[in-house]
Amino acid sequence: MDGIINVYKERGYTSFDVVAKLRGILHERRVGHTGTLDPEAEGVLPVCVGQATKACELLLDKDKEYEAVLLFGMETDTQDITGKILSNRVVTADAEEAQQALLSFVGTYQQIPPMYSALKVNGKKLYELAREGKTVERAPRPVTIYSIKILETIFSQISERSVSDENTIRFLVTCSKGTYIRTLCEDVGRKLGCGGCMKSLKRTRVSSFLESESYTLSEIERISKDGRMEEILMPIDRLFLSYPVLRMRAGADKSLHNGNKLYPGEVFLEAKEEEMEASFRVYDSSGKFYALYRYDPAQDCYRNIKMFAICPT
């Protein structure tokens, strides 16, 4: 079984939980997720199966979309409402000022990764250090917020506010890899001067994988028992639809099947001149997807990056 399953991760599951359960459901050892999603978050988690696990790291680089709720006036050690409260302050800004503070983060900015994250320092995950009560210095990293759409704003009247009021903005954000929405929420709250944290998070898209096309673990288990996995198992090349295509000419398949260099006379090129430096998805003469290749102008050939199909014997 080779391909990608668009899983809807429900709250309470870790990404590792999803992988472990799918191994049991599919009776397949080679299962890997494409980027962690916090246990209390929900949403799209593409999972690679079989030969597709070779592409797991490639999906980590894809842009993502989230629906989040930002709670103003509270800061926690985890940057979301599940953590220990560090401060509780009255929100003195109005709704329009809060919206503008959020929208000001569109673009590239330097974000400091949270302590409660899976990033490693000296071989140890940051959240493991955080649970030991340790804090280490983290270098800021550039992240890009491509867009923010405000969906709902709930703010009480300034004259009626107290530290117990819940002033929130629900928003849709599209961002680059490595962006922590929890940290974005805290950064917005600090810019506004009252603090902030993330109240909820749902990932609605990873690259071309959409929430509307995702399946919960219970749905996948039922589909698997019914013998209908082919209905939801997406082909590996779904990951690379934006890449130009090389197709092998009849009689030249052996070079591709063996992962050898490919020369212009062996392939049909479906690309523009400006795409010659790009990665290509390569199909044999029967139309089966096999690999990713990159053009080498020095030798006027295409070199294998990664194979995804088992060569026929």
Side-chain angles (χ1 to χ4, degrees):
M1 184 181 295
D2 303 310
I4 305 109
I5 302 174
N6 186 358
V7 178
Y8 188 92
K9 190 193 83 66
E10 298 168 279
R11 289 181 182 175
Y13 289 105
T14 66
S15 299
F16 181 80
D17 290 337
V18 171
V19 167
K21 288 182 178 295
L22 280 177
R23 283 175 178 154
I25 292 170
L26 304 176
H27 307 292
E28 170 64 60
R29 181 180 57 81
R30 296 170 302 166
V31 179
H33 66 74
T34 57
T36 57
L37 196 56
D38 291 344
E40 291 306 308
E42 59 186 312
V44 173
L45 181 69
V47 174
C48 297
V49 181
Q51 291 292 318
T53 54
K54 297 177 181 179
C56 283
E57 73 236 28
L58 300 176
L59 259 179
L60 296 175
D61 293 337
K62 303 297 184 180
D63 62 299
K64 299 172 178 66
E65 181 185 82
Y66 297 88
E67 182 181 316
V69 175
L70 192 170
L71 170 64
F72 292 96
M74 179 189 294
E75 286 192 354
T76 72
D77 60 348
T78 59
Q79 301 180 331
D80 62 20
I81 61 170
T82 68
K84 177 184 176 182
I85 296 176
L86 302 178
S87 68
N88 240 329
R89 294 194 289 274
V90 175
V91 180
T92 58
D94 59 27
E96 184 176 352
E97 290 170 326
Q99 291 173 354
Q100 290 306 311
L102 173 59
L103 293 173
S104 71
F105 280 83
V106 173
T108 299
Y109 86 103
Q110 296 291 322
Q111 188 180 76
I112 299 175
M115 276 301 301
Y116 281 88
S117 66
L119 293 177
K120 290 185 177 180
V121 173
N122 297 325
K124 197 159 188 178
K125 293 178 180 178
L126 285 176
Y127 70 77
E128 293 173 339
L129 295 172
R131 288 170 181 169
E132 295 172 3
K134 300 176 182 176
T135 300
V136 297
E137 187 173 347
R138 289 96 64 206
R141 307 183 305 174
V143 299
T144 302
I145 307 298
Y146 297 115
S147 67
I148 292 176
K149 179 181 180 182
I150 294 173
L151 303 176
E152 183 182 36
T153 304
I154 301 176
F155 262 60
S156 58
Q157 294 294 322
I158 293 177
S159 60
E160 299 172 355
R161 290 180 197 168
S162 69
V163 295
S164 62
D165 288 329
E166 287 201 356
N167 300 290
T168 61
I169 294 180
R170 184 167 62 89
F171 63 97
L172 197 66
V173 54
T174 304
C175 58
S176 65
K177 67 170 184 175
T179 304
Y180 288 90
I181 306 303
R182 288 179 285 130
T183 304
L184 172 65
C185 289
E186 183 175 88
D187 291 342
V188 174
R190 288 185 174 180
K191 180 169 185 175
L192 206 60
C194 60
C197 67
M198 188 179 74
K199 186 176 181 182
S200 66
L201 183 69
K202 178 172 70 173
R203 188 153 66 193
T204 53
R205 180 177 63 80
V206 176
S207 186
S208 61
F209 296 89
L210 308 177
E211 176 190 356
S212 60
E213 300 172 348
S214 62
Y215 298 85
T216 64
L217 287 172
S218 59
E219 289 172 333
I220 295 168
E221 184 172 22
R222 184 168 61 252
I223 291 169
S224 179
K225 286 180 178 178
D226 292 343
R228 298 185 292 112
M229 281 303 298
E230 72 281 355
E231 296 178 10
I232 67 171
L233 191 67
M234 300 179 189
I236 300 172
D237 59 350
R238 166 75 182 266
L239 298 174
F240 313 113
L241 294 183
S242 63
Y243 293 17
V245 172
L246 290 177
R247 297 190 188 276
M248 302 304 297
R249 297 181 185 273
D253 285 336
K254 187 174 181 180
S255 294
L256 171 62
H257 293 166
N258 292 334
N260 296 337
K261 291 184 288 187
L262 307 178
Y263 292 92
E266 298 178 301
V267 299
F268 292 103
L269 174 63
E270 299 179 15
K272 302 174 184 176
E273 273 308 310
E274 60 267 24
E275 295 176 324
M276 292 297 285
E277 297 297 326
S279 297
F280 296 83
R281 48 193 165 108
V282 188
Y283 298 78
D284 70 6
S285 60
S286 70
K288 181 179 179 179
F289 172 67
Y290 263 84
L292 294 183
Y293 271 68
R294 184 178 293 277
Y295 180 64
D296 180 352
Q299 295 192 20
D300 190 26
C301 69
Y302 303 90
R303 293 184 178 276
N304 177 17
I305 300 173
K306 187 160 293 206
M307 296 290 291
F308 292 98
I310 299 174
C311 300
T313 54

